[in-house]
Amino acid sequence: MNSTWFRRFTPAGNGPRLFCFPHAGGSATAYLQLARSLPSAFDVVSLQYPGRQDRYREEPFTELDDLVGAVAEQLADEVAADPERPYALFGHSMGALVAFETARLLARDGLPRPQRLFLSGRGAPDGRDSAFGRFDDADVLADVRRLGGTEQAMLDDPEILEIVLPALRADYRILGTFTWRGGEPLDVPVTALTGDSDPMTTVDDMWTWRAHTSRDFGLKVFPGGHFYLFDQLGPVAGAVTEGLAARTVAV
């Protein structure tokens, strides 16, 4: 497994693999506690995008197609090496968009489909009119503070901010320049997850994912805001475990 792109925080189980996609400005460690909350049989693998933590010297991607292409290339190697092993994708916020587009690209390449997509904290990609493309650095930082999450202490430290701001800036550019080009629903079940008081994404927004799957769809609503999953680790882990137990996708 490519140690540049993938991180494990728990021993690799011999059950399904769960590939986790971070939010805007986020890193692989965003999923450390979730990995520890899931059954030990799972193999939980977090993506580490360029431009953050130990990859901070690398230039971050600023276009979604480029990021998705690079991620899909890495995942394709892993999936092709063990095509009988079930796997799923979990993405939060921007990570939901990256996970969804990655699944679409893998499907176009004829690779085994994920067992399920877990899409969190962001509605479906069609019909969104985002102002992110016009954000300057002050706007980006204000939005990150508004949403909350683990970055708050970093934003008050000028030295750390200098390191994390390029990735944040690049990720907000990805969101601001993305254009939905349409496509057929994925032949993959979807579980959407959200917080009931998310200031960015409503429960109704999350229902929009239903149009993007031809398989079963479920919505899980938890107490909390945009980063509800950090406070609801047990229930979220339960929802993922339940979803992975539903073997409804044929390879």
Side-chain angles (χ1 to χ4, degrees), residues 14 26 39 46-47 57 59 68 71 99 117 135-136 144 147 170 185 189-190 246:
N14 58 7
S46 299
L47 273 292
R57 287 190 174 90
E59 198 69 25
V68 168
V71 169
L117 297 183
F135 274 20
D136 59 17
V144 172
L147 295 176
V190 170

Side-chain angles (χ1 to χ4, degrees), residues 121-191:
R122 189 190 194 282
D126 50 325
R128 296 178 68 88
D129 180 19
S130 175
F132 293 148
R134 301 189 296 273
F135 274 20
D136 59 17
D137 287 353
D139 294 325
V140 169
L141 294 175
D143 197 57
V144 172
R145 291 183 187 278
R146 178 177 70 96
L147 295 176
T150 57
E151 291 87 358
Q152 300 304 297
M154 298 180 184
L155 302 183
D156 295 326
D157 186 318
E159 293 183 0
I160 296 179
L161 182 60
E162 184 178 353
I163 295 173
V164 302
L165 187 55
L168 274 169
R169 186 187 298 128
D171 289 352
Y172 272 74
R173 175 175 170 78
I174 284 176
L175 294 171
T177 58
F178 170 73
T179 300
W180 171 246
R181 295 188 291 268
E184 295 297 316
L186 276 173
D187 190 23
V188 178
V190 170
T191 297

Side-chain angles (χ1 to χ4, degrees), residues 25-180:
S27 61
T29 52
Y31 290 103
L32 186 153
Q33 295 302 327
L34 179 61
R36 292 175 175 174
S37 300
L38 288 164
S40 59
F42 294 168
D43 183 13
V44 184
V45 182
S46 299
L47 273 292
Q48 186 77 300
Y49 307 145
R52 54 217 79 202
Q53 291 187 335
D54 56 333
R55 301 188 71 183
Y56 81 93
R57 287 190 174 90
E58 299 178 47
E59 198 69 25
F61 288 99
T62 57
E63 299 292 335
L64 183 70
D65 286 348
D66 295 337
L67 175 57
V68 168
V71 169
E73 181 179 358
Q74 299 299 324
L75 282 183
D77 290 341
E78 296 302 318
V79 172
D82 193 359
E84 300 301 318
R85 186 174 191 176
Y87 73 99
L89 309 182
F90 187 114
H92 178 68
S93 199
M94 186 187 88
L97 179 61
V98 180
F100 176 71
E101 289 294 318
T102 298
R104 294 212 309 155
L105 186 54
L106 293 174
R108 287 197 293 269
D109 291 342
L111 287 158
R113 298 188 299 274
Q115 181 174 324
R116 184 170 291 269
L117 297 183
F118 297 93
L119 304 175
S120 168
R122 189 190 194 282
D126 50 325
R128 296 178 68 88
D129 180 19
S130 175
F132 293 148
R134 301 189 296 273
F135 274 20
D136 59 17
D137 287 353
D139 294 325
V140 169
L141 294 175
D143 197 57
V144 172
R145 291 183 187 278
R146 178 177 70 96
L147 295 176
T150 57
E151 291 87 358
Q152 300 304 297
M154 298 180 184
L155 302 183
D156 295 326
D157 186 318
E159 293 183 0
I160 296 179
L161 182 60
E162 184 178 353
I163 295 173
V164 302
L165 187 55
L168 274 169
R169 186 187 298 128
D171 289 352
Y172 272 74
R173 175 175 170 78
I174 284 176
L175 294 171
T177 58
F178 170 73
T179 300
W180 171 246

